[in-house]
């Protein structure tokens, strides 16, 4: 995830360093950066990206923005942010890509919490335009707005989330859909394959053109309101994960990473599916190209690269 976030910044001409302690993983980054920027049509900006082994190798005086992408464990993130407070100059923005932990919890008890914000990308970060700028209880709204504007200049579509609720904005919407989807699977009303098809080729297909709010204006708010009155009483309101999820987790069936989830995965099938998936995302980017922000190559402080 961190390497993909680096591609977003490198594409915009921002000098970016990925800290990767594992030597084997770090050794693969050079080729990954080259291939990724070429895919994004930004091969000329390859020199913007580099990698190092430790935070000790960073030029902190020249660092304006830090984006944390460490494992999703709160103690690890808290220790890292405590270290960043000591290392980074006071005006450097300290951001977390956490998808579940609020920035208020990550920065709890630390000084300069006003410069700490959530900056949540979606996988793969360089192919998914959305990024959430999340304000914690102590975040400076002006810094949040500046980060929002910076991500826009990087060619992303930023949304400002004014309170760091669990799941922020997009994941709350996504899980609301998933709760109903897996409840339908648990009840035997639809198969996993049919749930996927209903979303991809039905209402999800239209989301490429308009989100749920704009869709209501297209379809008629009165129609939606009447349908909601009929359906809402029977929608899932579960407060625990569906059996379709929890039973697979208990059985060690996590999806691609274990070779089986709702579908069965061989190494060849995984490679083919990831290639298909990325190709569809790239095609979607081309369809939306005229609606995406232009990339002007500015750093977080607004200086031209």
């Amino acid at each position: 995830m961190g390497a993909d976030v680096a591609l977003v910044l490198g594409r915009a001409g921002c000098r970016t360093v990925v800290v990767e302690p594992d030597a084997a993983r770090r050794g693969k980054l050079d080729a990954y950066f080259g291939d990724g920027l070429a895919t994004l049509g930004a091969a000329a900006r390859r020199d913007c990206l580099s990698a190092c082994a430790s935070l000790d190798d960073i030029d902190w005086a020249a660092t304006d923005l830090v984006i944390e992408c460490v494992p999703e464990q709160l103690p690890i993130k808290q220790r890292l942010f405590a270290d960043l407070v000591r290392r980074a100059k006071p005006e450097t923005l300290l951001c977390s890509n956490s998808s579940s932990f609020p920035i208020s919890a990550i920065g709890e008890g630390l000084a300069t919490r006003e410069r700490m914000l959530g900056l949540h990308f979606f996988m793969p970060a360089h192919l998914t335009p959305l990024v959430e700028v999340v304000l914690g209880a102590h975040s400076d709204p002006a810094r949040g707005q500046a980060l929002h504007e910076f991500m826009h200049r990087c060619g992303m579509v930023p949304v400002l989330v004014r309170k760091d609720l669990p799941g922020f904005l997009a994941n709350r919407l996504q899980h609301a859909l998933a709760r109903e989807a897996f409840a339908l699977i648990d009840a035997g009303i639809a198969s996993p394959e049919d749930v996927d098809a209903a979303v991809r080729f039905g209402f999800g297909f239209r989301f490429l053109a308009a989100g749920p709010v704009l869709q209501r204006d297209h379809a008629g708010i009165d129609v939606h309101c009447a349908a909601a009155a009929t359906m809402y009483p029977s929608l899932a309101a579960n407060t625990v994960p569906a059996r379709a999820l929890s039973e697979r987790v208990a059985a060690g069936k996590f999806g691609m990473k274990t070779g089986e989830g709702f579908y069965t995965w061989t190494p060849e099938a995984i490679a083919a599916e990831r290639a298909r998936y990325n190709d569809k995302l790239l095609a979607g980017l081309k369809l939306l190209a005229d609606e995406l922000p232009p990339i002007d190559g500015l750093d977080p402080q607004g200086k031209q690269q």
Side-chain angles (χ1 to χ4, degrees):
M1 189 65 162
D4 290 346
V5 171
L7 288 174
V8 170
L9 300 173
R11 177 184 61 183
C14 301
R15 193 162 299 281
T16 304
V17 181
V18 173
V19 179
E20 175 49 76
D22 186 275
R25 290 170 62 91
R26 191 168 64 253
K28 297 176 181 178
L29 286 175
D30 185 66
Y32 188 80
F33 289 154
D35 292 343
L37 288 174
T39 298
L40 296 174
R45 287 181 161 169
R46 173 63 190 87
D47 290 345
C48 291
L49 301 182
S50 61
C52 67
S54 168
L55 292 175
D56 293 335
D57 301 322
I58 298 294
D59 180 0
W60 289 102
T63 300
D64 298 315
L65 171 66
V66 178
I67 304 173
E68 166 268 304
C69 297
V70 301
E72 199 72 354
Q73 298 176 36
L74 183 57
I76 294 177
K77 294 179 184 290
Q78 289 175 325
R79 286 196 297 271
L80 174 59
F81 267 72
D83 194 13
L84 293 174
V85 167
R86 291 191 292 269
R87 293 176 182 268
K89 58 188 179 183
E91 62 269 26
T92 297
L93 294 180
L94 304 180
C95 301
S96 174
N97 183 48
S98 175
S99 60
S100 56
F101 297 117
I103 192 65
S104 299
I106 294 171
E108 185 176 2
L110 296 177
T112 65
R113 284 180 290 176
E114 67 278 357
R115 48 126 167 215
M116 299 178 189
L117 301 116
L119 189 63
H120 181 224
F121 294 81
F122 295 82
M123 296 179 64
H126 62 305
L127 299 181
T128 307
L130 186 74
V131 62
E132 295 176 313
V133 177
V134 187
L135 300 180
H138 301 279
S139 301
D140 177 6
R143 285 183 167 98
Q145 188 60 47
L147 183 61
H148 183 282
E149 293 169 2
F150 168 63
M151 294 314 305
H152 189 274
R153 297 197 302 269
C154 287
M156 299 295 285
V157 178
V159 292
L160 186 62
V161 185
R162 294 172 176 84
K163 185 177 181 181
D164 55 355
L165 294 171
F168 316 132
L169 171 58
N171 272 341
R172 290 181 74 88
L173 296 171
Q174 181 175 229
H175 276 268
L177 163 64
R179 178 167 63 179
E180 183 63 28
F182 293 117
L184 292 170
I185 292 171
D186 275 358
I189 293 170
S191 68
E193 293 83 359
D194 284 343
V195 167
D196 280 350
V199 175
R200 287 192 62 215
F201 301 105
F203 66 91
F205 177 76
R206 301 184 307 193
F207 281 165
L208 192 64
V213 179
L214 181 55
Q215 281 285 353
R216 300 289 78 78
D217 274 7
H218 275 278
I221 297 173
D222 55 332
V223 174
H224 169 74
C225 192
T230 300
M231 285 187 288
Y232 280 15
S234 65
L235 289 178
N238 305 329
T239 58
V240 296
R243 290 194 315 276
L245 295 171
S246 59
E247 289 177 356
R248 282 173 172 80
V249 169
K253 298 178 179 180
F254 301 160
M256 290 185 182
K257 66 175 70 176
T258 59
E260 185 178 357
F262 288 98
Y263 303 90
T264 301
W265 300 102
T266 63
E268 296 77 17
I270 292 172
E273 169 55 22
R274 285 182 171 161
R276 183 202 67 84
Y277 183 77
N278 285 351
D279 285 346
K280 295 298 182 187
L281 293 180
L282 284 167
L285 284 175
K286 291 178 181 177
L287 286 174
L288 294 173
D290 62 343
E291 298 183 52
L292 297 177
I295 299 168
D296 64 6
L298 296 173
D299 73 3
Q301 303 302 317
K303 294 174 287 189
Q304 188 71 38
Q305 296 293 301

